[in-house]
Amino acid sequence: MSENQLKNQASASVGDETSESADAVLDGDLVRDVTIAEFPQLVELSKQVPVVLDMWAPWCAPCRQLGPVLEQLVQEYAGKIVLAKVNVDEQAELAQAFRVQSVPAVFLLLDGHPAPLFTGALPASTVRAAFDKVLELAASQGVAGRLRVHEAPAESLAPRETPNPNYPKRCARRQNWLRPENSRPPSKHTKNTCGKTRRGNRRRAAAGQGAARCARRK
């Protein structure tokens, strides 16, 4: 598909008709991989929600830096901007149609019309400013739709027992259990792993034996 064909396809999809429910709430993925076969659907979507095209390649280090920034910001804008990722190695026709000379290259698809946005791995603050301008331009053209954001259910966290700070750390590391508050550790564990307790037991045993010898002498 040539550049002229893409432009003609975009112009034909826009025409003089206005989009249905420009401020509608739609279902779909905020971040998606796009092929040339899916590009017509992306043109239709841009009539309701601004679409940012990320032209990237797996071997490109700046692309790997910019990608997470774009994805994070798209999530922050809560469905007001859609991110479409185009692998230029796999979608060479799209890259050629957009005249991509270096990656990463970011384009805007708004109301069916493509336009360059920026190139290179920019910091998050600069990308956020570009996204703000995209939303201002979209509002001026009546493109005010958004995608519905599905929040992931919060995971239920089981209550955790708090270990007793008075419990010897050396002994606690040797067991896979947490000692509840105000409870004593098992006697077997204490005798086998706590050196101080074992020494104390030996001293008491020796003292007992000494006392018994003194009693016999008397």
Side-chain angles (χ1 to χ4, degrees):
M1 183 180 292
S2 64
E3 180 185 5
N4 292 332
Q5 288 175 327
L6 283 176
K7 291 182 178 180
N8 293 337
Q9 185 182 55
S11 301
S13 64
V14 177
D16 296 329
E17 60 180 4
T18 58
S19 60
E20 299 178 1
S21 303
D23 56 349
V25 179
L26 309 174
D27 289 320
D29 297 328
L30 291 179
V31 181
R32 61 187 71 186
D33 294 320
V34 177
T35 64
I36 192 169
E38 298 167 337
F39 190 79
Q41 289 81 6
L42 202 65
V43 171
E44 291 296 326
L45 178 62
S46 71
K47 297 179 354 183
Q48 299 181 349
V49 184
V51 177
V52 172
L53 293 174
D54 177 22
M55 301 285 184
W56 70 286
W59 45 264
C60 171
C63 297
R64 294 194 296 269
Q65 296 175 1
L66 179 65
V69 174
L70 294 173
E71 295 178 11
Q72 178 63 33
L73 288 178
V74 166
Q75 296 291 338
E76 292 181 8
Y77 280 82
K80 295 180 181 179
I81 295 178
V82 175
L83 177 62
K85 302 178 71 66
V86 179
N87 187 334
V88 296
D89 288 346
E90 298 177 353
Q91 306 299 322
E93 288 187 72
L94 277 177
Q96 185 177 3
F98 279 88
R99 296 183 178 179
V100 176
Q101 298 181 354
S102 63
V103 288
V106 181
F107 295 82
L108 173 64
L109 191 60
L110 180 63
D111 203 13
H113 298 286
L117 199 56
F118 62 84
T119 58
L122 302 182
S125 58
T126 306
V127 178
R128 183 180 285 106
F131 280 10
D132 290 338
K133 293 181 180 179
V134 166
L135 292 180
E136 292 178 3
L137 181 61
S140 66
Q141 297 186 12
V143 181
R146 64 182 179 88
L147 263 64
R148 183 177 288 106
V149 178
H150 301 281
E151 297 182 357
E155 297 180 359
S156 58
L157 299 178
R160 298 180 178 179
E161 298 182 20
T162 304
N164 190 339
N166 298 324
Y167 187 67
K169 295 182 180 180
R170 181 171 56 182
C171 299
R173 287 195 298 265
R174 298 182 182 181
Q175 293 290 334
N176 293 327
W177 54 274
L178 295 176
R179 179 187 172 190
E181 290 289 340
N182 302 324
S183 65
R184 300 179 60 184
S187 58
K188 181 179 179 181
H189 166 72
T190 304
K191 292 179 181 179
N192 291 338
T193 60
C194 295
K196 293 181 180 180
T197 305
R198 291 199 299 270
R199 289 193 295 270
N201 291 340
R202 288 196 295 268
R203 292 194 188 108
R204 286 192 292 271
Q209 293 175 1
R213 285 196 298 271
C214 292
R216 287 197 298 271
R217 291 174 184 175
K218 293 179 180 179

